[in-house]
Amino acid sequence: MASPNALFATLRPGDAPPWLAALLGSARRSSPNGDYFEWDDKQLWLAANGDVANGDVAKAVCTASFPPDIAIEGLHIGMPIAAARGALPELHSPGAVNANLLHGWMPAGRPWGLLLEELEGKIRSISMLVRGALDRRLEEVVRERSDAARIWDAPPAADRWTMIDDPDALLEVWLGSQTTRAPWSNTPAGIYAAYAAWLKAATPDQWHSAARFHNWSYSLGPLFFISRHPACELATALHILYAADLRWVARFGFNPAAVPTHSHATLRLITGICDRIRRDCYARSLAFDPARDFGRNAPRIDLGPGFPAQLEGREPRPVPFDDGYPIAVWEAVGVVYTH
């Protein structure tokens, strides 16, 4: 008898092969949405509206840990999406959900289709769904993509500061927005106001330290201010660009309709920096070496000749930081440091 995974690869929604009931066994799990079945450390699971063993398979999902040597309709986990398009020319891409690109395949005359989840250009999961469920899922993706485009053009009030080009005006609006609440309950009151005052008085070298030691769990307002200031260094802008996970946004083609809405501020930060680099808006006196600062995590994306791999120049004068804020800011809100 073939391995369970090889058998499951032949299963299609609506099927009731004789081997299926024998394999269900203790694989049944329960959830608020009904029962489902799970095998081999979540490599594959089945969902049903009723009795899976009698052919009521509504959805079968091969996850990222499913064996890559087992093919489903000529596709396998880890397969490049470009190769998948060659195997299934009808494959189309309605958009992105939960940071992963989705691709749908609905062959004519069949009661089921495929939904592929893409991560970094390769198939991450393969879902087989009955046609009605697949149609609804693809419609949801298209609707979410339309909503994302609308929100990009008219962001919520709390995020409208991201659309302001003037750095001082941006900082003032950011400071008054609801996104500037203290990040943790034990953070001293006034931390953002103190940091905004520090940023306005800081030098480009100090801004570089602020970019290097920014805590990405906090608001992006300081990075917007720095990157949009006419005195900002190219090395500082590049550091922000690399730290913002450029590869992840590039997966969506920098398209706000495809990028999840919770990442729109990051996308606006990245595209703003890219635009300013192309227009040669940044000073060039500081050194930048992504291998030193980011190691193997440095994104390898060719954005054109205006985006140097590294910069020769002087090293900035360092500024002491703690948890994303300058020591001077912590002291301004009453935190005592012993030097």
Side-chain angles (χ1 to χ4, degrees):
M1 183 177 180
S3 71
N5 281 326
L7 289 172
F8 286 135
T10 68
L11 185 66
R12 299 293 179 266
D15 285 355
W19 51 263
L20 182 58
L23 286 176
L24 294 181
S26 61
R28 182 185 294 271
R29 306 285 187 270
S30 295
S31 78
N33 297 321
D35 289 351
Y36 64 98
F37 300 84
E38 183 178 275
W39 287 267
D40 291 344
D41 193 26
K42 301 182 180 180
Q43 288 185 8
L44 180 140
W45 61 272
L46 307 178
N49 297 319
D51 187 354
V52 169
N54 289 331
D56 194 10
V57 177
K59 183 177 183 180
V61 181
C62 300
T63 69
S65 55
F66 191 78
D69 58 332
I70 298 178
I72 299 170
E73 296 296 324
L75 309 179
H76 60 83
I77 300 299
M79 184 179 192
I81 286 296
R85 292 189 183 283
L88 301 177
E90 306 96 334
L91 199 65
H92 68 286
S93 307
V97 174
N98 296 328
N100 295 320
L101 294 172
L102 299 181
H103 308 272
W105 180 64
M106 293 186 294
R110 296 193 188 183
W112 56 269
L114 299 181
L115 186 67
L116 311 181
E117 185 182 31
E118 173 195 342
L119 180 64
E120 296 184 349
K122 297 181 179 180
I123 296 176
R124 183 177 184 272
S125 71
I126 303 172
S127 301
M128 294 169 276
L129 295 85
V130 293
R131 178 171 289 273
L134 181 57
D135 287 340
R136 288 191 297 273
R137 189 69 188 104
L138 294 177
E139 288 171 1
E140 288 173 2
V141 174
V142 171
R143 184 167 59 252
E144 290 168 6
R145 186 163 184 164
S146 176
D147 290 344
R150 175 181 52 79
I151 292 171
W152 175 263
D153 292 332
D159 294 331
R160 287 177 189 162
W161 55 268
T162 63
M163 303 180 72
I164 300 173
D165 285 328
D166 179 80
D168 290 324
L170 180 151
L171 199 62
E172 288 300 321
V173 176
W174 167 77
L175 191 58
S177 74
Q178 63 177 349
T179 59
T180 60
R181 291 173 294 183
W184 312 117
S185 59
N186 60 348
T187 301
I191 188 76
Y192 280 127
Y195 194 21
W198 183 91
L199 286 167
K200 285 186 175 182
T203 66
D205 280 34
Q206 292 171 324
W207 290 336
H208 191 80
S209 290
R212 285 191 62 198
F213 297 110
H214 179 75
N215 186 328
W216 285 81
S217 296
Y218 299 165
S219 173
L220 299 180
L223 299 182
F224 271 83
F225 169 82
I226 292 168
S227 65
R228 295 188 177 183
H229 200 286
C232 178
E233 286 277 342
L234 178 58
T236 305
L238 287 171
H239 187 97
I240 296 172
L241 200 61
Y242 276 54
D245 198 356
L246 186 60
R247 285 177 300 188
W248 184 79
V249 177
R251 286 175 45 215
F252 304 103
F254 301 95
N255 183 351
V259 173
T261 55
H262 63 77
S263 294
H264 274 185
T266 301
L267 176 62
R268 211 178 291 276
L269 176 67
I270 287 174
T271 54
I273 290 174
C274 289
D275 176 64
R276 285 167 174 78
I277 291 176
R278 292 189 183 98
R279 292 190 286 115
D280 196 22
C281 294
Y282 293 116
R284 293 174 178 254
S285 69
L286 296 183
F288 176 68
D289 184 355
R292 177 194 62 190
D293 292 343
F294 297 95
R296 292 188 301 174
N297 292 324
R300 295 177 176 85
I301 297 178
D302 183 10
L303 294 173
F307 296 79
Q310 66 181 65
L311 295 172
E312 299 294 333
R314 63 178 180 84
E315 293 297 322
R317 288 180 288 276
V319 177
F321 269 68
D322 183 23
D323 193 24
Y325 297 109
I327 297 298
V329 168
W330 286 112
E331 292 177 333
V333 294
V335 177
V336 177
Y337 282 85
T338 56
H339 299 283

